[in-house]
Amino acid sequence: MTTSELLRDLELERAGTGVLRRYQRFVDAKDLDALADLVTDDVQLRRRDEEWTGREAFLALYRRFAGSDVTVAQHMATNVEVTALPAGADESRLRVDSCFLAITLHDSGEARLMWGRYSDDAVLREGRWLLAAKRIALARTAVVDESALVSPDLDSFGPRASLG
């Protein structure tokens, strides 16, 4: 691999992971304007065997999330793989595959842990990397009752008996 090929691979990996990180940050912040700016006009969204096309259809899912009883959300991605796809009219196109874990706290006091896989497409348009497809394969959701949660004020180190 030449130095220029290596630099191009690193540039594309950074672009793909950057789109993924921004997506997660904007969802966690319930920032609908930033999410709208991150996606193409014809973005495709697939979740739970349902598919939607277009920015407004994409945002409808996140409007429901923003209006929910979630008080804190934190998405994390790992095992991120970025692959260059055949170039099209967008000049550059990437597939960004990853595993995710999302933790949400709710007004009810419970917490939810959701995990699964993302398979996203990012495109370069007018010098900006945008999300063109978001595929969410949710594996499971675990609900944690409020009584099992520990206050963030307590020291989380030491034996479990010391947490109560």
Side-chain angles (χ1 to χ4, degrees):
M1 176 178 284
T2 67
T3 301
S4 62
E5 290 171 329
L6 177 60
L7 289 175
R8 179 67 177 155
D9 284 354
L10 290 171
E11 178 184 17
L12 294 179
E13 185 171 333
R14 183 177 173 111
T17 58
V19 169
L20 176 61
R21 287 183 190 123
R22 286 190 302 277
Y23 162 81
Q24 291 186 330
R25 185 172 67 245
F26 299 155
V27 170
D28 289 348
K30 298 183 178 183
D31 189 339
L32 297 174
D33 292 334
L35 277 169
D37 194 45
L38 181 66
V39 301
T40 62
D41 291 337
D42 58 348
V43 64
Q44 297 176 340
L45 174 63
R46 184 170 51 202
R47 181 176 178 261
R48 291 189 178 156
D49 298 327
E50 295 181 85
E51 293 187 32
W52 302 273
T53 300
R55 181 178 281 123
E56 285 306 310
F58 177 90
L59 290 174
L61 173 68
Y62 298 98
R63 282 190 190 99
R64 285 196 340 251
F65 176 74
S68 73
D69 74 334
V70 171
T71 57
V72 175
Q74 185 170 348
H75 284 75
M76 294 153 278
T78 187
N79 299 0
V80 180
E81 293 184 31
V82 179
T83 308
L85 297 175
D90 309 307
E91 296 180 32
S92 293
R93 190 173 194 85
L94 303 173
R95 173 72 39 87
V96 183
D97 292 309
S98 62
C99 299
F100 72 87
L101 171 66
I103 301 170
T104 56
L105 300 179
H106 298 258
D107 281 336
S108 64
E110 72 183 25
R112 294 183 190 165
L113 288 78
M114 293 142 286
W115 60 94
R117 295 185 178 274
Y118 292 142
S119 184
D120 304 332
D121 291 352
V123 295
L124 184 61
R125 295 213 175 137
E126 300 176 7
R128 294 181 56 228
W129 285 98
L130 302 174
L131 193 59
K134 180 81 185 160
R135 299 171 199 92
I136 305 169
L138 183 64
R140 285 281 197 234
T141 299
V143 177
V144 180
D145 187 78
E146 182 179 22
S147 65
L149 299 174
V150 177
S151 168
D153 298 330
L154 292 176
D155 185 355
S156 61
F157 301 112
R160 183 173 177 185
S162 70
L163 297 177

